[in-house]
Amino acid sequence: MIGLRRGIVRLYDHETEWELEAQNTISRLRALLGSVIKDIQHVGSTSIRSIKAKPIIDIALAVDDFNEILAREATLRDHGFYYRPGSQSMIPHQLLFACGSYYDGSGDLQTHFIHVV
């Protein structure tokens, strides 16, 4: 299972699906952003096999210049990565993108957070 309804917190035993989904997401981002990415890693609780976690995939994506990412915002959105500019005030020095049906308006699930640092 991947994703939770916005506003819900529930922990689950680790699932192999989380690592597979993280690797798939990393591959998709590499295809979209190419050399703009300096490093990209699956992070957060779903990356730790020995603990329970919320089934929301966190990816940390390192870049040299946020403007290179912001210039690709429309492309990222077209591929399901939605920029969350209001989040910047809560988390300084990073951009946040999110995935899930909550963001495209078709439902209420949050599935991924992409932390651009």
Side-chain angles (χ1 to χ4, degrees):
M1 173 190 169
I2 295 177
L4 283 176
R5 286 185 18 219
R6 184 171 163 89
I8 300 295
V9 175
R10 190 167 291 138
L11 300 178
Y12 293 87
D13 290 329
H14 188 271
E15 295 186 22
T16 305
E17 177 186 16
W18 298 343
E19 183 59 34
L20 297 172
E21 180 60 23
Q23 292 307 315
N24 179 50
T25 302
I26 288 169
S27 294
R28 290 175 51 216
L29 287 165
R30 282 191 189 283
L32 291 170
L33 300 171
S35 64
V36 170
I37 297 173
K38 300 307 172 197
D39 192 13
I40 187 167
Q41 300 290 326
H42 178 200
V43 298
S45 58
T46 59
S47 69
I48 304 170
R49 293 183 178 155
S50 61
I51 65 171
K52 291 186 177 205
K54 293 182 299 182
I56 298 175
I57 307 299
D58 286 288
I59 303 290
L61 191 159
V63 299
D64 285 332
D65 185 348
F66 286 152
N67 291 321
E68 292 184 89
I69 295 297
L70 294 173
R72 292 166 174 80
E73 180 187 351
T75 298
L76 288 164
R77 183 179 54 249
D78 290 345
H79 288 87
F81 299 98
Y82 294 86
Y83 180 44
R84 308 300 297 156
S87 308
Q88 285 177 261
S89 61
M90 297 184 324
I91 308 170
H93 311 298
Q94 80 169 267
L95 303 176
L96 182 67
F97 287 77
C99 303
S101 62
Y102 174 79
Y103 301 101
D104 68 18
S106 67
D108 60 2
L109 286 182
Q110 296 181 113
T111 60
H112 300 66
F113 291 116
I114 313 303
H115 307 269
V116 182
V117 298

